[in-house]
Amino acid sequence: MPKEFIKNYQDRLINCIQTFDWAPVEQLAQKVLLVQKEDRHIFLCGNGGSAANAMHIANDLLYLRSKGKGIKVTALPANQAVLTCLANDIGYENIFSFQLEQLGQQGDILIVLSGSGNSKNILKAVDMAKKMRIATCAILGFDGGRCLNLVDIPILFPINDMQIAEDLQLIIGHMLMQWLKEGKF
């Protein structure tokens, strides 16, 4: 791989991190802390690489030990049997909203991970969360799409690069985990 390609990718990622207003991430962190303290539930969802990131972040938060307990967390794309059943029986656009309707409760939080912010299954999950009075957050790339103006806590990295957008999803997930692990609130 040419050094100039590596340098270009590195520069674009670093620029996103250095120029970003991190206030929405601080807002998300406070909401996650409240969910943990109230023994509520965090739900995460995404498609493709963002689905894998949702599972990764859920793993980190579940394993997290803060005063002897982790956080109740579910990655909605994690169960292949459930996903294929729902996609086949009620439509792919409903795979996350249906699960949220069955498992979620007022006071929980839904964190959606999306590059475009326009996937039907993501938008329907946000709509369901709103109906159920579940807080919503989106970690988005590109222009944020329709999701940007629907969620309570929008976190937008305005970069037209799916891989960097997905890198930033994990960075936020890792920041949350380490901050909660430290327990210095």
Side-chain angles (χ1 to χ4, degrees):
M1 183 177 305
K3 288 181 183 180
E4 59 272 5
F5 181 87
I6 294 169
K7 177 83 168 107
N8 178 270
Y9 190 97
Q10 177 186 20
D11 289 345
R12 288 182 293 134
L13 178 60
I14 290 169
N15 184 57
C16 280
I17 292 169
Q18 289 180 335
T19 61
F20 186 69
D21 174 9
W22 291 90
V25 177
E26 293 173 23
Q27 192 179 359
L28 173 61
Q30 291 302 319
K31 183 63 180 172
V32 168
L33 180 62
L34 181 64
V35 165
Q36 182 187 34
K37 285 181 178 179
E38 292 181 351
D39 201 29
R40 299 287 185 181
H41 207 113
I42 297 172
F43 295 93
L44 294 115
C45 65
N47 293 295
S50 296
N53 285 348
M55 290 183 274
H56 182 127
I57 293 167
N59 172 70
D60 286 350
L61 294 176
L62 181 70
Y63 187 73
L64 177 67
R65 297 294 183 248
S66 176
K67 297 182 182 174
K69 80 176 194 184
I71 298 174
K72 290 181 183 175
V73 61
T74 299
L76 298 174
N79 188 322
Q80 293 175 359
V82 169
L83 290 181
T84 56
C85 170
L86 295 176
N88 185 63
D89 292 357
I90 62 172
Y92 190 76
E93 68 276 8
N94 298 304
I95 61 173
F96 301 138
S97 60
F98 183 86
Q99 291 181 75
L100 190 62
E101 184 178 24
Q102 304 308 310
L103 302 171
Q105 294 181 22
Q106 183 176 339
D108 294 339
I109 185 169
L110 170 68
I111 302 171
V112 300
L113 310 177
S114 179
S116 73
N118 290 318
S119 300
K120 288 180 184 177
N121 57 5
I122 296 292
L123 295 170
K124 285 191 133 209
V126 170
D127 286 343
M128 180 58 69
K130 293 288 191 183
K131 287 177 189 168
M132 298 177 68
R133 296 185 179 175
I134 293 173
T136 56
C137 175
I139 304 173
L140 306 161
F142 297 84
D143 67 2
R146 294 190 357 224
C147 198
L148 180 66
N149 296 313
L150 295 177
V151 297
D152 302 316
I153 305 170
I155 298 173
L156 173 64
F157 292 97
I159 185 157
N160 296 326
D161 185 310
M162 183 59 83
Q163 287 66 50
I164 290 179
E166 289 173 348
D167 291 342
L168 293 161
Q169 294 167 359
L170 277 180
I171 288 170
I172 290 173
H174 288 154
M175 283 180 176
L176 286 171
M177 184 204 184
Q178 288 189 5
W179 179 70
L180 291 166
K181 187 177 179 182
E182 279 187 11
K184 296 176 183 173
F185 313 123

